[in-house]
Amino acid sequence: MVCHQILVPRQVSAEILVRGQNDVTAKTLTDEIWLKIVDLHSIPPGIIEWGLGQGETSVIALGINSGKLPVIIDDYAGRKCALSHGLSVSGTLGIILRAKKQSYIPLARPVLEEFLIHGLYLSRATMDRALALVGE
């Protein structure tokens, strides 16, 4: 699957941009044309009851409202909610491994290490098992 654009709910972009212009994620969000910030107009029934954060809630709502678009969510409860609503779910780890397998990046480990520095929670054991799947 090749993706040419990622839709980012405005609620998620607000959470990211508050980190400031020196944050790598905030800088990427403002500099990259393949990231498109979109407004969310409604939250479908059944999502609020999960008690998720505003970011996860808005991502799932956007996925549903946009015709069951795949979503990227790392939060466990958010992933369960998205799956219960029939959405295809990937996490950051899966996206990076896919990028490595499809030769978009030469190595996954340095990318994951950078994400860990900037706050991604991922155990070393999980990361090592995942990297073994792509020959690292």
Side-chain angles (χ1 to χ4, degrees):
M1 174 175 83
V2 176
C3 179
H4 298 285
Q5 189 171 61
I6 295 178
L7 304 179
V8 180
R10 191 162 307 279
Q11 294 85 337
V12 172
S13 79
E15 288 179 8
I16 293 169
L17 294 176
V18 76
R19 299 175 189 172
Q21 293 178 332
N22 292 331
D23 178 82
V24 67
T25 309
K27 186 166 177 39
T28 301
L29 185 61
T30 57
D31 292 352
E32 298 297 333
I33 61 171
W34 51 269
L35 292 168
K36 181 180 179 186
I37 299 170
V38 297
D39 291 314
L40 181 64
H41 300 291
S42 67
I43 298 175
I47 297 175
I48 298 294
E49 291 78 19
W50 282 80
L52 304 171
Q54 190 175 20
E56 289 82 7
T57 297
S58 64
V59 167
I60 294 165
L62 180 61
I64 293 169
N65 292 346
S66 299
K68 303 271 184 173
L69 282 177
V71 296
I72 303 169
I73 299 178
D74 289 323
D75 177 78
Y76 180 72
R79 293 170 70 91
K80 284 181 66 173
C81 177
L83 289 168
S84 77
H85 284 84
L87 297 175
S88 172
V89 180
S90 291
T92 302
L93 178 59
I95 297 293
I96 293 169
L97 295 179
R98 189 175 304 136
K100 165 67 175 11
K101 285 181 182 178
Q102 295 177 354
S103 300
Y104 288 108
I105 57 174
L107 295 169
R109 184 176 295 277
V111 176
L112 286 171
E113 294 287 352
E114 187 72 19
F115 272 86
L116 290 171
I117 289 168
H118 292 285
L120 176 69
Y121 173 77
L122 181 65
S123 75
R124 287 285 171 180
T126 299
M127 185 172 85
D128 290 339
R129 282 193 307 274
L131 288 171
L133 296 173
V134 293
E136 289 188 44

